Amino acid sequence: MSEAKFIKVNGTEAKLLSRDGGKKFKPSPSEDVFFKMSGDEVEGLFDYFEIRVGYLDGPPLHIHSIQHETFHIVEGELTVRVGDELVEAKTGEFLFIPKGVIHTYVNLKEGTVARAVGNLAPGGFDKFVEELSQYQATASPPDPARINEISAKH
């Protein structure tokens, strides 16, 4: 995690992070996730993150059972599966995925890195990403049953 600048104001603290600031995870070779704010910092209300997704990368198909998720595409384009539909989310566009809806995303534009900022509410998803990243770094090959255990925990 890079250094954050905290600004004291009215008995609390505001936070300023650099472009690469926050808790960084690398869930796959050409994908980076930066959690800029986690639920622990904001009374569990939300997680705020940035993703940078290389060509043909993205997470497996998944569901958030308790969290709504948003994506605002700030650079490039992501192909997003939402339920049974495929949508092209382009620079400047915003996508809301309600809790309980199966989804995934992938960057299909060769030679590009897609960037999006997102929000998960309520917060706490960063704990899942952290635990899963730690497990995947040591497991070769990863055990799907163990991944399911980690998923169920969060």
Side-chain angles (χ1 to χ4, degrees):
M1 181 165 151
S2 67
E3 291 294 314
K5 179 179 179 180
F6 293 95
I7 303 106
K8 294 191 182 301
V9 57
N10 298 334
T12 188
E13 290 182 328
K15 178 178 169 182
L16 175 67
L17 289 171
S18 69
R19 174 184 168 99
D20 294 332
K23 289 194 289 187
K24 179 182 178 184
F25 300 101
K26 193 159 193 64
S28 57
S30 61
E31 181 178 16
D32 295 315
V33 178
F34 298 84
F35 278 88
K36 304 295 190 175
M37 296 290 295
S38 71
D40 287 343
E41 298 173 276
V42 289
E43 300 165 357
L45 295 172
F46 64 89
D47 294 322
Y48 184 86
F49 59 92
E50 177 186 346
I51 56 172
R52 298 177 193 166
V53 186
Y55 177 58
L56 296 181
D57 221 339
L61 202 56
H62 62 282
I63 295 174
H64 302 287
S65 58
I66 64 168
Q67 292 153 319
H68 300 288
E69 187 167 24
T70 66
F71 292 100
H72 184 182
I73 312 302
V74 295
E75 183 179 323
E77 184 174 314
L78 290 172
T79 300
V80 185
R81 178 176 167 187
V82 181
D84 292 329
E85 299 289 324
L86 283 178
V87 296
E88 298 296 323
K90 299 177 181 172
T91 300
E93 294 183 330
F94 175 87
L95 178 64
F96 167 72
I97 302 170
K99 66 182 177 182
V101 173
I102 194 164
H103 63 283
T104 189
Y105 55 82
V106 64
N107 175 0
L108 296 177
K109 300 295 181 185
E110 192 169 0
T112 69
V113 174
R115 291 181 53 235
V117 292
N119 183 290
L120 283 153
F125 190 70
D126 64 306
K127 292 175 184 172
F128 164 73
V129 174
E130 182 171 20
E131 186 172 348
L132 183 63
S133 295
Q134 289 172 352
Y135 171 69
Q136 289 178 323
T138 61
S140 183
D143 176 13
R146 179 65 184 127
I147 291 171
N148 287 340
E149 287 175 22
I150 295 169
S151 297
K153 180 177 166 184
H154 297 280

